[in-house]
Amino acid sequence: MRGAIGGFIGSMAFGLMMAFIMPPPLLEVAIPTMYGFEATPENPAMGAGWILHQFHGVMLGLAYVAYAEFPAVRSWVDPRSIGGGITHGVIWGVVTTIVLAVIVMPIWLQSIGFAGAPPFPNIGGGTLLSLLGHIVYAVPLGIIYAIYRE
């Protein structure tokens, strides 16, 4: 539950950043298009984008729990403390940026013929905003995981 709740809350923060700070059309066009919605800048699918983004956040929150419970991670910096939650939240933000924004998203969008697909690997100015967004997502996740431990 900690991972799902933390992922949902972190995704809300990152989603707000995507909606108001990051250049469109990521939330309202690119994410829905990845799942077969016919979204365009002229006909965005904001609701679908939010739902899918929140789904991603919950799933990545569950994956964070698997990472945080790994014995080597716990013995290095305990993710069940606030400081450890912040530390591992930043690490999780960096990892998810590299895996998802730099590698997976460009391949996925290019494979479905999305006209606005970023180049592979997706490294550029927008990637820095993505990194910040993934950290904005993962730090609350790490803190919630630490606070609501058993």
Side-chain angles (χ1 to χ4, degrees), residues 28-49:
E28 65 273 18
V29 178
I31 292 173
T33 300
M34 291 169 67
Y35 290 91
F37 289 87
E38 294 188 24
T40 64
E42 298 77 31
N43 187 27
M46 184 63 81

Side-chain angles (χ1 to χ4, degrees), residues 2-10 57-58 60-65 85 89 92 135-147:
R2 297 180 283 176
I5 293 168
F8 188 86
I9 291 170
V58 169
L60 289 171
L62 297 175
Y64 174 83
V65 172
W92 195 245
I135 291 172
V136 164
Y137 158 76
V139 167
L141 166 62
I143 292 170
I144 289 168
Y145 176 84
I147 290 173

Side-chain angles (χ1 to χ4, degrees), residues 57-110:
V58 169
M59 293 298 106
L60 289 171
L62 297 175
Y64 174 83
V65 172
Y67 158 80
E69 292 294 326
F70 194 69
V73 170
R74 287 177 60 181
S75 67
W76 175 60
V77 176
D78 191 353
R80 296 169 298 173
S81 68
I82 299 296
I86 293 169
T87 299
H88 290 293
V90 170
I91 291 167
W92 195 245
V94 171
V95 168
T96 56
T97 300
I98 293 168
V99 172
L100 300 174
V102 173
I103 299 170
V104 172
M105 194 167 193
I107 292 171
W108 192 340
L109 288 170
Q110 288 175 21

Side-chain angles (χ1 to χ4, degrees), residues 107-122:
I107 292 171
W108 192 340
L109 288 170
Q110 288 175 21
S111 72
I112 61 172
F114 181 65
F120 175 81
N122 183 17

